[in-house]
């Protein structure tokens, strides 16, 4: 894990920022599979933030320490998004905007292994 951290907001919720490797199934803008991406999650607490990512198929998600907490701009971006889950390439290339998490995970909306058709 390249870096991550969290910030507790005055209302008691947290914003967690993690740098992860891009899943292979992603179809969104940015770099190819395996490249680092910065993911932001807004949740009631740190455990729920990580659970939200794990439920999307990003299984190896851990927050160890607080070495790269979210910046004020990142906090503003995730708070103004209806899903509370955003990502963009890391390190940021130029003026890249934040993308919804479904753009990272691909058309199925899940980063886990593909399930065989029944």
């Amino acid at each position: 894990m390249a870096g991550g951290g969290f910030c507790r907001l005055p209302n008691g919720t947290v914003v967690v920022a993690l740098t992860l490797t891009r899943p292979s199934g992603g179809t969104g803008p940015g770099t190819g599979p395996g490249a680092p991406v910065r993911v932001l999650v807004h949740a009631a607490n740190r455990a729920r933030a990580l659970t939200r990512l794990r439920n999307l198929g990003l299984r190896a998600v851990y927050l160890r320490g607080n070495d790269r907490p979210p910046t004020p701009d990142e906090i503003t971006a995730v708070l103004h998004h209806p899903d509370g889950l955003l990502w963009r390439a890391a390190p940021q290339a130029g003026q890249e905007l934040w993308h919804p998490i479904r753009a990272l995970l691909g058309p199925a909306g899940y980063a886990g292994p593909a399930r065989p058709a029944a």
Side-chain angles (χ1 to χ4, degrees), residues 3-85:
F6 70 96
C7 180
R8 185 166 306 279
L9 303 177
N11 65 358
T13 62
V14 297
V15 174
V16 174
L18 297 167
T19 302
L20 307 171
T21 56
R22 183 182 174 114
S24 60
T27 60
T31 56
V37 293
R38 181 84 164 164
V39 177
L40 300 176
V41 184
H42 179 229
N45 56 46
R46 286 180 287 174
R48 286 191 183 184
L50 297 176
T51 299
R52 287 185 74 183
L53 292 174
R54 290 181 186 131
N55 287 342
L56 293 171
L58 300 169
R59 297 291 181 209
V61 177
Y62 298 98
L63 181 60
R64 294 189 177 109
N66 199 16
D67 61 338
R68 293 203 48 215
T71 64
D73 290 338
E74 291 175 334
I75 293 170
T76 301
V78 76
L79 289 178
H80 284 88
H81 193 271
D83 294 338
L85 278 164

